[in-house]
Amino acid sequence: MKALNVFASIVFVLCVPVLLITTNVRLAVNDIRLYEYGFNKYNVSTVTKLDDAELIEVAHQIIDYFNSDEELLEVDIFSQREVAHMTDVKGLVRLAYSVQLASLVYIAAYIAISFAIKRRAFWQELAKRLLWGSWATIAILIALGFWALTGFESLFLLFHLVSFTNDLWQLSAGDYMLLMFPQGFFNNAALLIAGASIGEAAIIGGATWGLLVLRRRAKRKEMSG
C-alpha cells in the first residue's frame, strides 16, 4: 500500500504540469486573438495577398476544424499536401485535449479518494503535492525555455520529428500554411503557453506554500501554548 501511495502521489505531481500546459495549449489553439496577433506581426496579409477579413475567416475555419469530427480541412487556398498535414496536426490537438481531460480526471479522483481515506489529515499532503507539481511545471518550462532561447530551430525540428510519422510537414516556401504561420508565430505561441503555465504554477505554488507556512506557525503556537 505504501508503494502504491508513493506511485499515485508521483503521478499526481506529474499531472499538475501536464494539466496546466495542455490547458494553455487548448486555450491558445482556440484563441482567435493569437492568430490575429501573428497575422499582424508578420505582415501575413501582405505576404499572402489576403486581406485581414479573409485571414481571420481562415483562422476561424481552422479552429472549427480542430473541434469538429470532419476528417479534412476544407479551405480552398491550401494544397492537398497542406490539408493532409492539417489532419496530422488535428490529431495532435485532439491528443492534447485527451491528455488534458485524463490528467484532470486523475487529479480529481486522487483528491477525492485521498480525502475519503484520510479526511482532514490529507489537506497538508495535498498542499505539498501541489507545491511539488508547481515546482515541476516551472522547472520543465524553464529548461525548455532555455533550449528555445539558445536554439529554437533545433527544438522546433525535434518536435516535428517526434510528433509526425511522415514528411507532410515539410512544406514548400510558397505554401499558404507556411506564409500564414511562419516559425516566429509558433515561437510566440510557445512563449505564451509557457508564460501562462509558469504564472499559474507560481500562483498555485505561492498559495500552497503560504498555507503550509501558516499551518506550521499554528502548530508551533499550539505546542508553545
Side-chain angles (χ1 to χ4, degrees), residues 80-167:
Q80 290 184 346
R81 185 179 180 88
E82 290 173 289
V83 170
H85 175 55
M86 284 302 291
T87 301
D88 294 336
V89 174
K90 180 178 180 177
L92 282 181
V93 171
R94 299 305 285 265
L95 176 61
Y97 288 2
S98 298
V99 172
Q100 179 202 28
L101 179 59
S103 60
L104 178 61
V105 169
Y106 182 88
I107 287 174
Y110 176 85
I111 293 174
I113 294 172
S114 297
F115 269 122
I117 296 172
K118 301 178 181 179
R119 305 292 180 178
R120 293 179 62 183
F122 180 65
W123 276 113
Q124 190 168 354
E125 288 186 33
L126 176 60
K128 289 180 180 178
R129 306 287 186 274
L130 289 172
L131 183 59
W132 295 341
S134 300
W135 286 344
T137 304
I138 294 171
I140 291 169
L141 291 174
I142 286 178
L144 289 175
F146 179 77
W147 187 356
L149 288 173
T150 56
F152 183 78
E153 289 188 6
S154 64
L155 180 60
F156 195 60
L157 175 61
L158 179 62
F159 169 79
H160 282 80
L161 293 174
V162 171
S163 301
F164 303 113
T165 57
N166 53 54
D167 64 352

Side-chain angles (χ1 to χ4, degrees), residues 21-41:
I21 294 169
T22 54
T23 296
N24 287 307
V25 166
R26 186 169 193 157
L27 291 173
V29 165
N30 289 282
D31 191 350
I32 192 65
R33 294 171 299 179
L34 175 61
Y35 296 79
E36 188 173 5
Y37 171 79
F39 295 156
N40 291 331
K41 181 174 182 179

Side-chain angles (χ1 to χ4, degrees), residues 159-225:
F159 169 79
H160 282 80
L161 293 174
V162 171
S163 301
F164 303 113
T165 57
N166 53 54
D167 64 352
L168 292 173
W169 57 274
Q170 296 178 332
L171 302 172
S172 300
D175 286 335
Y176 274 97
M177 195 71 67
L178 288 184
L179 297 177
M180 290 181 65
F181 304 105
Q183 184 171 299
F185 174 90
F186 295 102
N187 192 0
N188 296 145
L191 288 173
L192 175 65
I193 292 167
S197 300
I198 289 174
E200 292 157 0
I203 292 172
I204 295 171
T208 52
W209 179 80
L211 289 173
L212 288 170
V213 169
L214 291 174
R215 179 61 179 167
R216 281 196 293 268
R217 288 179 180 176
K219 280 188 175 181
R220 287 172 188 165
K221 286 183 178 181
E222 290 176 5
M223 292 176 63
S224 61

